[in-house]
Each structure stands twice: as C-alpha cells, then as structure tokens.
C-alpha cells in the first residue's frame, strides 16, 4: 500500500471516529434460487467463457519453451511460453480424433504429440507438424488442422484467457487504468508462486466470493482470529468499471483514529481486496500477494473450486519472510477452512432446502453487492 490510496486512509479514519461506513444508495436483493438453480449455473459458466478470466500466473511458464496443462470450466487447455517470450494458448485436443496432445501438468516441449495416433503440433503456433501414414488419408490439409487457439494475454504476471475463441477484446480496456494503477506497485510480473492450495467445496462459487470480501462478519465469525485484526463494518469501496476494491482498516488504525492520532495508507493500518470480475481477488499484504480464483463446478450449482496462491517476489524471500508468510497462511486457513466455509456450507444447504425469496445485501455491503450487480447486468435478474 502507498500514498496512492492516502485519500482512502483518511476516509477510513473519519468513518472510524464517527462509527460509520461508506454505503451504496440502496439495498440489493438477490434471489436465493441463483445459488441453487442449474439453469442459472449454466448461464454463469457460459458467461465466464466469454470474459477474460485468469487461468494462471506467468511464473508457471517462466522459461521459454515451457508449458502447463489444465482444465478450466471443463475445457482442456495447453498454455505455452514461445521462443520469443510471448504466451500462446491452445485447446489440448488433437484435431484427428480428439485425444489430449499433452498429458503432463507442466514441462518443456518443442512440439506436442497425441499418443493415440501420433499427430504432432508446433509449440510456436499450434500448427500441425506431422501426420503418420499421411499418404493413406485422402488428403490432410495441415494448415487447416492445427490446434484450436485461445487468446491468452499476460498482464501484471497474470494469464488472462478468453475461452470462447473470440479475439475482439482489449486487455487495457478490460482492466482499466485504476486496476493497472493498483496492481503495478506489487511487481507481480516478477513474482513467483510460494504457496498453492486448491479446495473443492459443496458451496456455490458466489457464496465463497461473498464470504471472502464480506466486511460485516469478522468479529462474529472470527472473534479470536481475524476479528481481532480487522475492524468490522467499516470499509471504503472503489468501483473500477467491471472490477472494484474494498479497503478495510486494521484494528490498529481504529485505535489510533478514535484517539485522534494520525494514520496513513501503509499495510500497518489498512488492507485491501481487489476484485477482478468475474471470479478473482488480489489481496495485499506486507510480504506477499494473496491471489484467489473461485470456479463454478461444471456439473452442479452447489459445488465450486477455490484456488489460492501466495505470490512473492524472489528478492524478498528469506527465512524470516517465509516464516511470516506461513504464519499468514495459518491465519487464513483458520478463518477460511475452519470458520468461513463451514458457515457457507450451511447457507448452501439452507438455500437448497428452501430456494425461495431473496438474500439481502445491505447498503453497507457494497463489496458483496458488486458481483451480483455485474452478473445481473450480464445475465438479467
């Protein structure tokens, strides 16, 4: 955190002294059915294939010639670092009979070969490189049988992909200058993944995101942990186009502000959660950046997968920093695994048992309102 957000620190201090918080103009009511409806879930998954979504971090393919394979929303992907240092993405599907052209989760390859019939493809452009027994086919036009490409753009170290095959979006327009300004100081294009955890939960993806960005529950659900570190029901929200950022004061800021002492925008006094629509979050800390992606399940509305990575610049790593980062993980694990997700599981179960009426998002819940307002704009209420 830096002077970039000094105005936010001043606002938080004023709210703390007054016992208030920033609020949206109105409450928001979201149909409970949106968390259990299979029809709605299918629309949300389809929407995600049409938006730039973050599928990884550039450090996973740091070296030229390296690759990763993964499945995103049920779609098998192959993402490579080309010889010129740029990134390319392909569907991991052979154009002959649909096998995977690469089975390893990561590695280095010049070309990829389907082990069913031996068709091989170039790393550089996905072009069809070789067809065994090609003289036995009537005719295989190699320039028409390359791997299907997906657009992948690298920005701030994140790999943004469009799974629909469209090519008409601009990463500058999608992120906007405010998001660029918030991400730039972290230097994430030079960061590495320090910790990587994945959790499949019987909870709708939106409920998981609601809990992660919620500012009303710390002292109630986490009274002996996070609730002692972060103020409850005081926050400032900034909307950046499709995205947004929630700023929360630490209890240290609350103590100083209420005593009339000066505060600033340093990590010592405040934290932030940058939400990148539709399903990612970047949470700032002094030593690392906490990066979440929450994916809806491909088969049921009542399941999701939460992927949490801690990103660290290598020059900052030493034994002391690593111990501090692991302590941060212990705090997060206690809050999320042992407290947030069990509560959210009961919400999911209750929604399935009684999928009628609406959930209420109050005027003081701007951060949680944002996701549902954006989804409503894309899909309708």
């Amino acid at each position: 955190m830096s002077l970039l957000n000094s105005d936010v620190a001043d606002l938080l201090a004023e709210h703390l002294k007054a016992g208030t918080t920033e609020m949206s103009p109105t409450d928001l009511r979201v149909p409970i059915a949106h968390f259990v409806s299979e029809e709605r879930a299918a629309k949300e998954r389809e929407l995600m294939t049409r938006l730039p979504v973050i599928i990884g971090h550039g450090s996973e393919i740091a070296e030229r010639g390296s690759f990763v394979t993964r499945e995103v929303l049920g779609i098998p992907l192959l993402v490579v670092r080309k010889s010129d240092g740029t990134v390319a993405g392909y569907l991991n599907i052979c154009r002959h009979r649909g096998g995977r052209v690469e089975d390893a989760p990561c590695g280095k390859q010049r070309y990829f070969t389907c082990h069913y019939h031996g068709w091989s493809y170039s790393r550089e452009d996905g072009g069809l490189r070789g067809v065994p027994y090609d003289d036995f086919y009537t005719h295989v036009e190699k320039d028409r049988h390359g791997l299907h490409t997906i657009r992948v753009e690298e920005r701030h170290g994140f790999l943004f992909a469009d799974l629909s095959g469209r090519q008409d979006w601009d990463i500058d327009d999608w992120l906007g200058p405010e998001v660029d300004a918030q991400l730039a100081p972290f230097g994430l294009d030079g960061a590495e993944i320090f910790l990587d955890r994945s959790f499949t939960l019987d909870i709708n993806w939106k409920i998981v995101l609601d809990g992660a960005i919620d500012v009303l529950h710390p002292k109630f659900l986490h009274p002996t942990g996070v609730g002692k570190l972060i103020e409850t029901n005081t926050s400032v929200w900034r909307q950046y186009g499709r995205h947004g950022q929630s700023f929360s004061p630490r209890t240290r800021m609350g103590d100083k502000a209420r005593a009339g002492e000066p505060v600033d925008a340093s990590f010592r006094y405040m934290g932030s959660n940058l939400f990148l629509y539709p399903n990612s979050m970047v949470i700032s800390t002094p030593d690392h950046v906490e990066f979440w992606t929450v994916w809806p399940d491909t088969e049921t509305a009542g399941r999701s997968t939460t992927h949490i990575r801690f990103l660290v610049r290598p020059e900052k790593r030493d034994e002391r920093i690593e111990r501090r980062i692991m302590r941060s993980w212990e705090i997060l694990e206690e809050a999320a695994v042992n407290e947030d997700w069990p509560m959210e599981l009961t919400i999911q179960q209750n929604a399935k048992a009684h999928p009628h009426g609406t959930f209420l998002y109050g005027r003081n819940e701007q951060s949680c309102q944002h996701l549902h307002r954006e989804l409503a704009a894309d899909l309708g209420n």
Side-chain angles (χ1 to χ4, degrees):
M1 206 74 61
S2 69
L3 292 176
L4 179 69
N5 297 309
S6 59
D7 62 324
V8 174
D10 293 339
L11 280 171
L12 286 173
E14 291 302 314
H15 282 305
L16 288 163
K17 286 186 285 188
T20 57
T21 188
E22 192 171 88
M23 296 195 292
S24 65
T26 63
D27 293 336
L28 177 68
R29 291 186 178 273
V30 176
I32 296 173
H34 283 187
F35 301 92
V36 295
S37 164
E38 299 301 339
E39 180 181 0
R40 179 72 177 195
K43 290 180 180 179
E44 291 170 354
R45 290 193 298 268
E46 193 277 331
L47 172 66
M48 283 192 186
T49 68
R50 295 186 280 110
L51 299 174
V53 290
I54 301 177
I55 60 169
H57 188 264
S59 63
E60 298 176 86
I61 47 171
E63 297 182 24
R64 300 183 184 207
S66 59
F67 71 87
V68 293
T69 61
R70 61 191 33 155
E71 196 168 288
V72 178
L73 296 173
I75 301 172
L77 303 180
L78 173 60
V79 184
V80 305
R81 179 79 64 183
K82 300 198 297 184
S83 297
D84 63 3
T86 60
V87 175
Y90 312 109
L91 295 185
N92 190 5
I93 301 175
C94 179
R95 294 296 303 281
H96 178 217
R97 297 271 283 282
R100 299 285 171 94
V101 302
E102 182 57 59
D103 293 320
C106 59
K108 293 184 73 173
Q109 294 280 18
R110 293 183 62 185
Y111 56 88
F112 303 97
T113 302
C114 176
H115 296 298
Y116 195 10
H117 298 102
W119 284 35
S120 60
Y121 301 85
S122 166
R123 177 189 69 211
E124 298 300 305
D125 62 3
L128 181 59
R129 180 179 178 273
V131 179
Y133 310 114
D134 60 346
D135 54 334
F136 286 82
Y137 294 90
T138 301
H139 182 55
V140 176
E141 297 177 72
K142 289 185 177 179
D143 59 347
R144 296 182 59 190
H145 287 80
L147 295 175
H148 291 294
T149 62
I150 62 164
R151 183 175 170 191
V152 179
E153 291 280 347
E154 189 172 17
R155 179 63 62 89
H156 298 295
F158 296 121
L159 302 176
F160 291 84
D162 178 350
L163 306 178
S164 71
R166 295 188 302 110
Q167 301 289 319
D168 60 351
W169 53 276
D170 183 280
I171 191 65
D172 292 318
D173 291 341
W174 175 249
L175 291 179
E178 296 96 343
V179 170
D180 268 334
Q182 291 294 332
L183 288 174
F186 299 132
L188 295 179
D189 50 350
E192 298 173 343
I193 297 175
F194 174 82
L195 180 145
D196 192 330
R197 301 285 190 272
S198 186
F199 305 86
T200 296
L201 309 165
D202 289 326
I203 308 168
N204 183 272
W205 68 283
K206 301 185 296 298
I207 293 176
V208 176
L209 282 172
D210 278 350
I213 204 166
D214 181 275
V215 297
L216 293 184
H217 76 279
K219 75 176 183 180
F220 304 109
L221 194 57
H222 313 299
T224 62
V226 173
K228 290 184 175 181
L229 304 175
I230 300 173
E231 293 278 343
T232 296
N233 193 37
T234 299
S235 68
V236 167
W237 171 257
R238 291 288 179 265
Q239 184 162 340
Y240 310 137
R242 307 304 302 274
H243 320 291
Q245 190 167 20
S246 177
F247 297 89
S248 296
R250 305 192 190 282
T251 51
R252 182 181 288 115
M253 176 186 272
D255 294 339
K256 283 190 167 289
R258 285 185 281 265
E261 299 177 18
V263 298
D264 56 46
S266 67
F267 287 112
R268 180 178 177 82
Y269 295 119
M270 58 185 270
S272 74
N273 187 334
L274 177 63
F275 174 69
L276 301 178
Y277 184 72
N279 67 326
S280 295
M281 298 185 303
V282 179
I283 301 169
S284 57
T285 79
D287 304 313
H288 67 282
V289 166
E290 187 181 312
F291 170 56
W292 292 48
T293 49
V294 184
W295 297 101
D297 189 75
T298 58
E299 296 181 359
T300 178
R303 188 179 301 127
S304 61
T305 297
T306 297
H307 200 167
I308 301 173
R309 302 176 179 95
F310 282 7
L311 304 173
V312 185
R313 288 191 61 88
E315 68 272 14
K316 293 187 67 173
R317 286 183 65 168
D318 57 32
E319 290 186 5
R320 181 181 67 89
I321 293 297
E322 290 183 0
R323 286 195 300 270
R324 287 172 51 165
I325 295 174
M326 289 310 300
R327 176 55 185 155
S328 293
W329 168 248
E330 291 170 3
I331 294 171
L332 172 59
E333 186 177 35
E334 174 67 20
V337 177
N338 297 335
E339 296 170 340
D340 281 328
W341 295 340
M343 170 60 72
E344 292 160 16
L345 179 60
T346 67
I347 295 171
Q348 184 67 43
Q349 292 169 339
N350 289 344
K352 182 178 179 180
H354 190 76
H356 312 292
T358 58
F359 286 150
L360 174 63
Y361 295 76
R363 294 177 60 205
N364 55 343
E365 298 183 83
Q366 291 189 94
S367 56
C368 291
Q369 285 192 18
H370 177 79
L371 168 62
H372 301 284
R373 291 191 185 279
E374 292 299 312
L375 288 173
D378 283 325
L379 301 175
N381 290 323

